Amino acid sequence: MKYFAGIDIGSTAIKISIADENKELVGHKISASGSMFYKYAHETLDALLNELGLTKEDIVYTVATGYGRKIFKEADENISEITANAIGARAAAREHGQIKTIINIGGQDSKAISLDDDGGVVNFAMNDRCAAGTGKFLDACAMNLEIGVEELGIKHFDSTGTPLSINSTCAVFAESEIIGLLGNEHSVEDIVCGVHYSIAKRIVKLVKRVGVKEGIYFDGGPALNAGLVNAIENELSKKIFIPQYPQITTSYGAAIIGIDSYHYENRL
Ligand code: ADP
């Protein structure tokens, strides 16, 4: 069996997926990007291959994607994360149904991608200018509230009453607003819920720029946060599909692109 690696070097996390010739995901690994993308990407790949009982020789084609993709010089190809995300989303949701709209929230940006009936990208909108509406904002809020990001989803559902409104449009001012709300004896749960709705409102604006088409898929690390998912569904008034491993769609898509490129290059 031949294997294909997709390496997504994101601003916050390195995600690596290994697919087999049948485009099945055989394994994945996630590690923090830290300050040494190149070194950590190699260490993550080595650890994943070790876990899967594979060697570098088993990997016949590697595609790098994401913010730091050009750093991974050993890749056979590098590709934009929009294309890799679209291909990966389609594959990850193949048993669910057709995907027409992707919402991706990463560490430092958020995107909305519109797909055609064949899964091709027709349009996308991106926010990479402002931290509000990104994973970093969630990380900063969790830190101010002295909880972990993985606890945000649970706190959200323990909130009572109308979600608090966080009015600041800038992440730095929003952090001050959160500290002010704590000072006014609002509960952590109500603040978390307010933060999720403030992000959801921004995301809905972004999605509306590309058009809201049924078959909505949400990925990136913040899609692990069930509270944020709930807020976006309520703001959109639509159900959204979350894949089993929301953080690795783009790396999985990169691995799949590698399969097609390998076959094309070798005339298979
Ligand atoms: P990037 O591709 O830009 O590196 P990711 O898609 O990996 O970003 O998302 C990183 C963000 O995901 C983090 O900033 C954090 O807010 C969020 N995140 C990561 N793990 C979890 C988790 N277990 N629960 C909730 N949020 C998470």
Side-chain angles (χ1 to χ4, degrees):
M1 180 67 93
K2 295 184 178 74
Y3 295 92
F4 301 82
I7 303 188
D8 174 13
I9 305 184
S11 61
T12 308
I14 293 164
K15 282 78 64 174
I16 303 188
S17 292
I18 307 288
D20 66 17
E21 287 168 89
N22 304 318
K23 304 192 175 174
E24 291 298 329
L25 178 71
V26 295
H28 71 268
K29 200 161 190 71
I30 302 168
S31 62
S33 300
S35 59
M36 291 182 277
F37 290 2
Y38 180 78
K39 179 170 180 271
Y40 297 152
H42 274 281
E43 284 176 5
T44 309
L45 179 61
D46 290 346
L48 176 58
L49 292 177
N50 197 26
E51 272 172 29
L52 296 173
L54 298 175
T55 65
K56 285 210 163 108
E57 287 64 46
D58 293 313
I59 307 293
V60 296
Y61 205 94
T62 301
V63 175
T65 186
Y67 176 80
R69 64 182 179 267
K70 301 222 165 94
I71 290 168
F72 201 87
K73 301 261 185 287
E74 294 78 3
D76 296 287
E77 187 179 341
N78 67 65
I79 193 109
S80 101
E81 58 263 42
I82 309 271
T83 309
N85 201 340
I87 304 266
R90 210 161 173 235
R94 63 187 152 221
E95 279 164 23
H96 165 76
Q98 208 175 25
I99 296 304
K100 289 289 196 67
T101 309
I102 300 173
I103 297 169
N104 172 277
I105 308 185
Q108 289 185 2
D109 62 20
S110 39
K111 303 181 203 84
I113 308 171
S114 177
L115 306 180
D116 62 21
D117 289 346
D118 302 320
V121 175
V122 280
N123 196 4
F124 74 92
M126 184 159 170
N127 157 39
D128 59 358
R129 296 278 157 96
C130 161
T134 70
K136 278 278 172 289
F137 182 45
L138 287 160
D139 297 343
C141 293
M143 196 185 75
N144 281 316
L145 297 170
E146 295 193 77
I147 55 175
V149 273
E150 61 294 339
E151 289 176 81
L152 291 170
I154 302 157
K155 297 279 182 208
H156 176 97
F157 292 103
D158 287 338
S159 167
T160 49
T162 314
L164 290 173
S165 62
I166 312 283
N167 298 311
S168 305
T169 50
C170 161
V172 177
F173 289 128
E175 273 190 72
S176 313
E177 201 177 332
I178 288 165
I179 293 163
L181 290 169
L182 279 171
N184 281 326
E185 296 189 7
H186 287 288
S187 71
V188 167
E189 289 76 7
D190 288 352
I191 297 173
V192 166
C193 193
V195 165
H196 289 159
Y197 274 93
S198 89
I199 295 177
K201 286 186 171 69
R202 288 174 169 273
I203 295 300
V204 170
K205 277 192 196 148
L206 199 65
V207 179
K208 285 190 172 158
R209 278 168 52 194
V210 300
V212 185
K213 286 192 283 185
E214 294 284 350
I216 307 170
Y217 179 100
F218 176 23
D219 68 1
L224 290 161
N225 176 340
L228 181 60
V229 173
N230 174 260
I232 298 177
E233 284 187 331
N234 287 339
E235 286 296 316
L236 267 179
S237 302
K238 296 210 182 297
K239 273 281 179 216
I240 51 185
F241 174 72
I242 314 295
Q244 186 180 8
Y245 306 114
Q247 223 172 340
I248 61 150
T249 309
T250 302
S251 61
Y252 181 33
I256 292 173
I257 290 167
I259 301 172
D260 294 336
S261 297
Y262 178 80
H263 283 119
Y264 180 78
E265 284 179 17
N266 293 284
R267 297 170 198 269
L268 296 171

